[in-house]
Structures are given as C-alpha cells and as structure tokens.
Amino acid sequence: MTFWDHLEELRGVLLRMTAAVVLAGVAAFFFKDQLFDVVLAPKNSDFVTYRVFSLLAGGLEPFDVELINVNLAQQFMIHMKVALCAGGLLMSPYVIYLLFGFIAPALYSSERRYATMAIAGGYLMFMVGVLFNYFILFPLTFRFLGTYQVDASVTNMISLESYISTLMMLCLVMGGMFELPVVGWLLAKVHILKSEPMKRVRRYAIVAILCIAAVITPTGDVFTLMLVSVPIYLLYELSILMVKRVE
C-alpha cells in the first residue's frame, strides 16, 4: 500500500470509531434516568461506599448535598456530554480493536504479541483506575468537601457542572495513573528501565508523586491529596515488581 492508501485506510478507521461512539452516545442519551442514576449516585448518603465505611466505622452520619444549576442550557449540555462520554466508554473495546487492526499488519509476530499484552493490560488498568475513582476517591472527596463548613450559617450548594467536571477529570487522571505498571513493563521489555535505579530513587519518587498529586487534584486540600498520592505510590511499587519480574 502507498502512503495515500494508508491514509485512506486510517480515515476509514477514524470514521468507524467516530460513528460507533456517536451512536452509542445517542443511545445513552435516551436512557437519561439510568445514566444519571449511576453518575449522581456518589452524592447520596446511601451510596455503597458510604454504607461500607459506615459498617467499618460503626456508623456514619447521613448527609445531604444539594446540586444546583445556574445556566439556562447547562443541564442539556451536561446531558449531552455525559451521554457522549458514556458512549465512548462503552465502545472503547471496539475503538481499541479498530486501532490495533490498523497497526497490527506493520508488526512482527513477537511485537504483535507484546502489543496485545500491553493494550489488554493498559485497558484493564485504566478501567480499574476509573472504578477506583468512582467507588473510592470521588465519593470520599465529595463527602468531605461537600459537607465541610466554616460555619453552620454557610450552606453548601454545589453546581451540577462542578460535580460532573470533577468526576470526569478524576476518572481520566486516575485511569492514566493506573497505567504506571504497564508503562514500566513496556520500558523494561525494551531494556530502558531497571528495578534497582527505581529503588534507589524511591525517596525522590515520593516527593515527585506528591507534587504530581497536588497538580492534578481539583482541590487543594490535604485529604484529597493523600487519596490521590497513596494509590500512585502503591502503583510505583507495583511497577518496580513488574520491572523486576521482567528482569
């Protein structure tokens, strides 16, 4: 195939990816109640995470945080954005399949095997990061910040746009952070990364992780900072184990 033939093939792949995501997003748009039952679940005190922590802690006080909308078209735009994101999430395996099908013919058999393992592991770790944020990080952050008051006379009213933006951003951030072991494995496979240097710079890595967590967290409080930085540090330790296993 010529360069232009490859370009035409890539255009077809991108069109199929876009069509799949858009169609899934349109389908998700018409299931508004079910979609937002999932998205807005962490704001309710009967969410599964709060119930589990209530059992572990011997009981937690129920809370009620009101979400408000301040712009005329904001709810409709948020509905469209959430539906499109849901469509992308649902169709992500198909999107990855199309992309891999485009690049696979250019790979040797050994490269194709490693690429398959990296893509499968990367997708799995990304989804684990998204689930970790949805069930652990975001609910605890929302409960802490949504109920925090400097004075009883000051009422918290969180905007819907702030809630959705924070949830989506943390999902992307934690999904990306959970890719660390996969990246470490890939770099070890090509003999770029070694376990011993990673162990020697562990102290500096902790400082770097705290700085990264401070940058990527949507709020500046210590509580959220620790919720983000501790899992990243554990992923760093897991990356060392993965590199050592390759060695």
Side-chain angles (χ1 to χ4, degrees), residues 68-212:
I68 63 171
N69 178 60
V70 295
N71 294 321
L72 181 63
Q74 193 70 56
Q75 292 203 55
F76 178 73
M77 297 303 297
I78 287 176
H79 184 189
M80 291 182 61
K81 180 169 70 172
V82 172
L84 190 61
C85 289
L89 193 63
L90 289 173
M91 298 307 298
S92 55
Y94 179 65
V95 169
I96 294 173
Y97 170 77
L98 289 177
L99 288 175
F100 184 72
F102 177 75
I103 65 172
L107 302 176
Y108 293 110
S109 58
S110 59
E111 294 173 338
R112 192 177 297 116
R113 184 173 66 254
Y114 289 138
T116 303
M117 294 171 61
I119 291 172
Y123 179 76
L124 177 63
M125 292 302 294
F126 183 86
M127 295 306 298
V128 171
V130 171
L131 292 175
F132 172 82
N133 174 66
Y134 179 77
F135 285 104
I136 303 296
L137 177 59
F138 181 75
L140 297 181
T141 301
F142 179 79
R143 181 186 176 94
F144 176 76
L145 297 180
T147 59
Y148 186 83
Q149 291 177 286
V150 295
D151 189 83
S153 62
V154 182
T155 303
N156 288 327
M157 290 191 297
I158 314 299
S159 71
L160 177 63
E161 194 238 346
S162 174
Y163 177 94
I164 297 295
S165 298
T166 303
L167 174 60
M168 288 185 174
M169 189 185 73
L170 285 177
C171 281
L172 288 175
V173 167
M174 295 311 299
M177 289 294 103
F178 270 67
E179 299 291 340
L180 282 175
V182 179
V183 173
W185 177 82
L186 278 175
L187 294 178
K189 279 292 184 183
V190 295
H191 307 292
I192 295 177
L193 199 60
K194 300 292 183 181
S195 60
E196 287 303 319
M198 294 180 70
K199 293 177 182 178
R200 288 198 300 267
V201 300
R202 183 183 279 116
R203 292 176 298 176
Y204 306 105
I206 293 174
V207 176
I209 288 170
L210 288 173
C211 293
I212 293 172

